Amino acid sequence: MCAMLIASKYEEVHKPLLEELADIWMLRYVTGDVVRMEKRILHRLEWSLNLPTTYMFLSRWINIEQPDEETECMIYFFSELALTQHYLIRVCPSRVAASCVYAARCTLKKYPLWTKTLQQCTRYLEPQLLECTQILVDAHSLAPKCMINAVYEKYSLEEYRKVALHAAVELEQLPLPVW
């Protein structure tokens, strides 16, 4: 019951009150018992209720970098496209997120492709992103012909600035980074 209470507090918009759950407990526990058990569970989990996701990193970096609307849509396009690429399962979410930002900047030709702010914020250098970015760029180029193209169709809509319709970039044709 306490695990369900924790989950509902974490996920639900309107979290249940302890008094509302008293009927489910059939008056076996008092509120203090429930709160103590909730604390024990959370302490055992070391208060870690989820793993970081690509989206969590992107939200933070977008907040710091504050890109224009088209770039932001392109970043989210690549992040959703990344979910369809099984090769990226082995890549840590922070690197996937940084690669999404890099792929978006490359596609839209936002120079410099990798800013000092992004480098400091993500702790990734440009060369560390190239392999993952290549997977994303390849997915973008194949997206129109892919059987599972819901992400492509979604980001081809006006409300997402039709970012999917941009030509997929070829990383080899971009200028080399200046170090």
Side-chain angles (χ1 to χ4, degrees):
M1 290 306 301
C2 287
M4 187 166 55
L5 178 64
I6 292 167
S8 66
K9 285 181 177 180
Y10 189 77
E11 286 293 326
E12 296 297 325
V13 175
H14 304 288
K15 63 182 181 188
L17 299 172
L18 289 175
E19 295 76 27
E20 295 171 351
L21 298 175
D23 291 341
I24 298 172
W25 298 323
M26 295 184 281
L27 303 175
R28 290 185 183 155
Y29 307 103
V30 295
T31 304
D33 294 337
V34 175
V35 171
R36 277 191 296 281
M37 180 55 77
E38 184 179 19
K39 284 181 183 177
R40 282 184 64 195
I41 291 170
L42 291 171
H43 181 71
R44 180 71 173 191
L45 294 173
E46 297 177 356
W47 294 84
S48 180
L49 301 181
N50 66 348
L51 297 172
T53 64
T54 299
Y55 182 77
M56 291 169 66
F57 288 103
L58 285 179
S59 297
R60 181 170 180 261
W61 298 338
I62 284 172
N63 190 36
I64 291 169
E65 187 73 3
Q66 298 187 340
D68 58 75
E69 189 178 339
E70 183 180 39
T71 305
E72 186 173 344
C73 285
M74 184 64 83
I75 290 168
Y76 284 122
F77 166 62
F78 278 114
S79 72
E80 290 186 33
L81 207 54
L83 296 173
T84 67
Q85 303 305 303
H86 70 278
Y87 303 108
L88 296 178
I89 284 193
R90 62 180 169 80
V91 181
C92 42
S94 62
R95 185 173 295 208
V96 173
S99 297
C100 291
V101 173
Y102 186 70
R105 293 182 65 83
C106 290
T107 303
L108 298 174
K109 296 180 177 40
K110 299 286 184 175
Y111 295 105
L113 296 174
W114 200 238
T115 66
K116 292 228 183 273
T117 304
L118 284 167
Q119 184 178 319
Q120 289 171 340
C121 177
T122 65
R123 297 188 178 145
Y124 287 110
L125 299 172
E126 232 172 317
Q128 295 174 295
L129 305 176
L130 294 178
E131 182 182 354
C132 188
T133 301
Q134 187 63 60
I135 293 169
L136 294 169
V137 166
D138 290 346
H140 180 198
S141 67
L142 296 172
K145 301 171 225 111
C146 188
M147 284 182 63
I148 305 171
N149 64 356
V151 174
Y152 180 82
E153 288 177 8
K154 173 183 174 181
Y155 284 91
S156 295
L157 299 173
E158 184 62 46
E159 69 183 286
Y160 296 102
R161 311 269 306 186
K162 297 183 179 184
V163 293
L165 301 179
H166 281 271
V169 70
E170 293 194 30
L171 293 181
E172 299 83 29
Q173 294 178 353
L174 293 173
L176 294 173
V178 178
W179 298 104

